[in-house]
Amino acid sequence: MNDVIGLLNAHRSIRAYKKIPVSQGTVEAIVQAGQASATSSFIQAYSIIQVAQGEARSQLAALAANQTFIAEAPVFLVVCADMQRHKMACDMNGADMLSGYAEQFITSVVDSALLAQNMVIAAESMGLGICYVGALRNNIAEVSDLLGLPDLVVPLFGLCIGYPSEKPDIKPRLPVKAVLRQERYDDPEALATLQAYDELTREYYQTRTGGQKSQSWTEQMAAKLAKESRPHILAFMQSKGFLLK
Ligand SMILES: Cc1cc2nc3c(=O)[nH]c(=O)nc-3n(C[C@H](O)[C@H](O)[C@H](O)COP(=O)(O)O)c2cc1C
């Protein structure tokens, strides 16, 4: 369609990187492009912690399910939802900040995701590869302590960036008709659409893994969602002043 859409459709997560450094100027250009994203009521409710290769990075990799590519990535950023700056803004203006609303949590998480995805597109447009790291939330309190995060700042996910040394196949997404509904949610073809997608994803995994993995998308989701989903997160968020009301 055009070059931007071509770039978006060529996305695949990259978990192996060339040992070529990424300049700090490039990192800052990526962050600036992230900041250009839309932001709810102009709040810009995020901060990014860059962690160089070394002891702290290795600890983060261990806390995030021992995923070795985290320690090896030339650049590693932790994207945090941040309402601490807004507390400062209120203090500077003699206002008592009313914090802890679920609405503020949604706003800061959405803002952070928009920032991050703009950063991803910027990075990929420069020939870099990325992988998000949600596994940081396995041990979110330890990650928070390691990064020295104060109240009203919580780590959401990491982002590895580097020049790719692999080119995995693109993972097929749900068809547009599965996610784009007209006027109302009801879709009489929903089940048939999922069954067809199961065939596609099973084939994708069989080809990509040489037959070792052949789980379909619904099987993968069923296996994932029949388990608890990081039940420690709510208490952690509340301990940092989020999701209290
Ligand atoms: C918020 C977020 C967290 C993720 N966390 C991890 C992770 O911890 N480890 C990992 O290998 N991939 C992680 N991923 C990558 C997804 O597994 C990947 O995007 C998805 O399987 C689709 O594959 P693709 O990006 O290659 O198209 C994460 C992606 C997102 C958006």
Side-chain angles (χ1 to χ4, degrees):
M1 272 188 187
N2 65 40
D3 290 349
V4 176
I5 292 176
L7 178 80
L8 296 174
N9 288 333
H11 163 78
R12 65 264 278 167
S13 292
I14 298 297
R15 300 177 178 85
Y17 313 94
K18 291 185 180 148
K19 291 198 186 322
I20 301 174
V22 177
S23 75
Q24 193 56 22
T26 299
V27 173
E28 287 173 18
I30 289 170
V31 171
Q32 195 169 37
Q35 290 180 269
S37 57
T39 160
S40 179
S41 304
F42 199 27
I43 63 168
Q44 308 175 76
Y46 39 65
S47 288
I48 301 159
I49 317 285
Q50 182 173 2
V51 182
Q53 279 179 325
E55 181 51 31
R57 175 89 75 87
S58 300
Q59 284 180 39
L60 288 175
L63 291 169
N66 283 314
Q67 298 182 93
T68 47
F69 67 89
I70 298 170
E72 289 161 5
V75 174
F76 187 64
L77 307 174
V78 181
V79 176
C80 304
D82 183 353
M83 294 291 293
Q84 175 61 221
R85 198 175 287 119
H86 307 82
K87 173 82 174 69
M88 286 171 69
C90 287
D91 289 348
M92 286 164 69
N93 290 281
D96 275 337
M97 179 163 145
L98 300 179
S99 60
Y101 289 100
E103 170 63 14
Q104 292 166 343
F105 181 72
I106 293 175
T107 307
S108 55
V109 171
V110 170
D111 256 31
S112 301
L114 298 178
L115 160 96
Q117 188 56 22
N118 253 26
M119 286 168 41
V120 163
I121 296 160
E124 291 180 342
S125 77
M126 293 189 264
L128 289 155
I130 68 92
C131 189
Y132 283 96
V133 178
L136 279 182
R137 299 192 303 273
N138 289 358
N139 293 289
I140 195 165
E142 290 80 355
V143 168
S144 174
D145 287 348
L146 190 65
L147 301 176
L149 304 183
D151 283 352
L152 297 176
V153 184
V154 290
L156 296 176
F157 46 79
L159 194 59
C160 293
I161 305 177
Y163 293 99
S165 69
E166 63 172 2
K167 195 173 181 191
D169 293 341
I170 291 173
K171 248 189 207 180
R173 299 302 199 252
L174 285 158
V176 170
K177 68 175 178 184
V179 298
L180 177 64
R181 310 275 168 93
Q182 302 299 330
E183 310 302 337
R184 288 182 56 81
Y185 188 83
D186 325 0
D187 174 13
E189 289 173 26
L191 185 61
T193 304
L194 278 189
Q195 284 165 341
Y197 186 57
D198 267 356
E199 288 312 308
L200 185 68
T201 44
R202 197 187 298 284
E203 197 180 295
Y204 163 82
Y205 279 119
Q206 270 172 352
T207 315
R208 182 167 158 177
T209 64
Q212 284 171 21
K213 182 172 173 180
S214 71
Q215 227 182 6
S216 71
W217 185 79
T218 61
E219 285 168 353
Q220 208 175 317
M221 295 305 113
K224 178 181 168 61
L225 297 171
K227 291 188 202 142
E228 285 195 311
S229 187
R230 297 186 182 125
H232 54 280
I233 294 290
L234 178 61
F236 172 78
M237 291 298 166
Q238 291 175 335
S239 76
K240 288 291 185 180
F242 284 98
L243 288 176
L244 297 172
K245 51 197 168 194

